[in-house]
Amino acid sequence: MFDDLKSVMTRVLKLGSLLVVGITILGSVIGFLVAGTSGLLAALAGGAAAFAFTALTVLSLLLGSKLNLGGFLGVVLGGWLVKVLLFLVLFSFLNRAEWLTLSARPVVFFVVVAAVIGGLVLDTLVVTKARLAPSV
């Protein structure tokens, strides 16, 4: 029996969400110990950004899979551009945020980086273990 793309992407989203929640909780504890409430909020902001990036990736793949190759590539590239713009807007906002102290800024960075690297590993594991039907 083969897995369909929707079940694989659902698995990626569920496991990715659990990963982001775990990293956010760990980052929140460390951030609070390092920078107080600002560190806690920084970890939550980083976790929210990481979840948004994961969800946008899954959404673009699911939407693109219903189109021809040109449409698929357009949706995936469009999703990538939306993520880049979201990244720029979010981190521009965080750069100006008064509640984000200088000692809490690394917390955002490490939460996002840990979630991105963990997400890449998780995506790779889920997709390589999936039994997808060969395309003709």
Side-chain angles (χ1 to χ4, degrees):
M1 191 92 198
F2 293 113
D3 295 326
D4 63 333
L5 183 63
K6 185 177 179 183
S7 68
V8 173
M9 289 297 112
T10 301
R11 208 172 317 142
V12 165
L13 188 59
K14 284 179 185 176
L15 294 175
S17 298
L18 289 174
L19 176 73
V20 169
V21 166
I23 290 172
T24 302
I25 290 171
L26 182 63
S28 296
V29 170
I30 293 171
F32 185 76
L33 294 174
V34 169
T37 305
S38 182
L40 173 83
L41 294 174
L44 293 175
F51 175 75
F53 297 149
T54 300
L56 282 172
T57 300
V58 169
L59 182 65
S60 68
L61 288 173
L62 285 174
L63 289 175
S65 70
K66 297 177 182 176
L67 304 172
N68 62 15
L69 181 60
F72 174 78
L73 294 174
V75 169
V76 171
L77 179 60
W80 181 80
L81 289 173
V82 167
K83 287 191 282 186
V84 168
L85 289 174
L86 179 66
F87 179 84
L88 290 173
V89 168
L90 175 70
F91 288 99
S92 174
F93 166 75
L94 288 177
N95 193 35
R96 295 186 188 113
E98 294 180 16
W99 54 266
L100 188 61
T101 62
L102 195 58
S103 60
R105 290 173 190 243
V107 175
V108 176
F109 173 77
F110 285 115
V111 167
V112 170
V113 168
V116 167
I117 292 172
L120 289 172
V121 170
L122 184 89
D123 292 352
T124 302
L125 290 173
V126 169
V127 171
T128 56
K129 291 182 189 260
R131 295 174 299 161
L132 298 172
S135 300
V136 176

